[in-house]
Amino acid sequence: MNVASGTDGGVRQEQPVPAPILALSTMERPDYVDLFTLSGGVPGRSPEEWAKALFEDVAGRSGQFVWRVLLGLRLRAARGRVAGWEIADRGADWIRLEARSWFLTGHLVVRADDDHVSLATFLRYDRPLAGRVWPPLAKKHRSLARGLLRDGRDLLRSGRKG
């Protein structure tokens, strides 16, 4: 049974993360997984449009600072990438982005339909340092995820293509 914890403005954190979402990441034995779902999607928007709105527009430079500086992720702007994250795989209603640093690996999964959008974060600690760096950042990450989804929805509703 999924338990919604901390519902806020149509965004809920789902615990445990449902098996269909877990299956969208190829990461074996992640050390950290979370899932946030927003009720009230934006009809006709693809998962890639959502990902671009969330990570390029809403997270923007602040997201880049966390990803590149604090987590050391190797991101680069190029075709087939969103906010520097590699588009590793996709389906009709989901997209998986991947990035690595010297001490951790991350997957972001965005799943979207006309009524909901979900954001799942998967991290694997590749070196012991990750287990010291991520936990303090995770609390902030969880508080920001809610606003990220709400702001992304507002942006896409305003006509942004993503």
Side-chain angles (χ1 to χ4, degrees), residues 115-147:
D115 300 314
H116 301 88
V117 64
S118 296
L119 169 60
T121 302
F122 298 80
L123 292 176
R124 183 183 63 229
Y125 303 162
D126 298 327
R127 301 271 190 289
L129 177 63
R132 293 190 301 273
V133 170
W134 180 250
L137 293 174
K139 184 175 181 180
K140 187 68 173 173
H141 159 79
R142 288 188 298 271
S143 71
L144 293 173
R146 299 171 193 285

Side-chain angles (χ1 to χ4, degrees), residues 38-50:
L38 170 74
S39 297
V42 180
R45 297 306 181 125
S46 71
E48 185 171 349
E49 288 175 301
W50 270 100

Side-chain angles (χ1 to χ4, degrees), residues 5 18-20 24 38 43 46-47 50 57 67 73 77 82 106 118-120 132-133 144-145 151 153 156-157 159:
S5 73
L24 297 176
L38 170 74
S46 71
W50 270 100
D57 298 322
W67 300 324
L73 294 174
V82 172
S118 296
L119 169 60
R132 293 190 301 273
V133 170
L144 293 173
D151 292 351
R153 176 188 55 200
L156 288 172
R157 281 183 176 168

Side-chain angles (χ1 to χ4, degrees), residues 70-83:
L70 299 180
L71 298 177
L73 294 174
R74 292 177 227 127
L75 306 176
R76 64 180 176 86
R79 188 171 169 83
R81 293 183 175 258
V82 172

Side-chain angles (χ1 to χ4, degrees), residues 22-81:
L22 293 172
L24 297 176
S25 173
T26 57
M27 186 179 292
E28 291 185 31
R29 295 185 303 274
D31 294 292
Y32 177 89
V33 180
D34 68 27
L35 174 66
F36 290 87
T37 298
L38 170 74
S39 297
V42 180
R45 297 306 181 125
S46 71
E48 185 171 349
E49 288 175 301
W50 270 100
K52 287 180 178 181
L54 294 172
F55 307 126
E56 292 178 358
D57 298 322
V58 178
R61 289 183 183 192
S62 297
Q64 291 293 319
F65 176 79
V66 171
W67 300 324
R68 291 174 185 266
V69 177
L70 299 180
L71 298 177
L73 294 174
R74 292 177 227 127
L75 306 176
R76 64 180 176 86
R79 188 171 169 83
R81 293 183 175 258

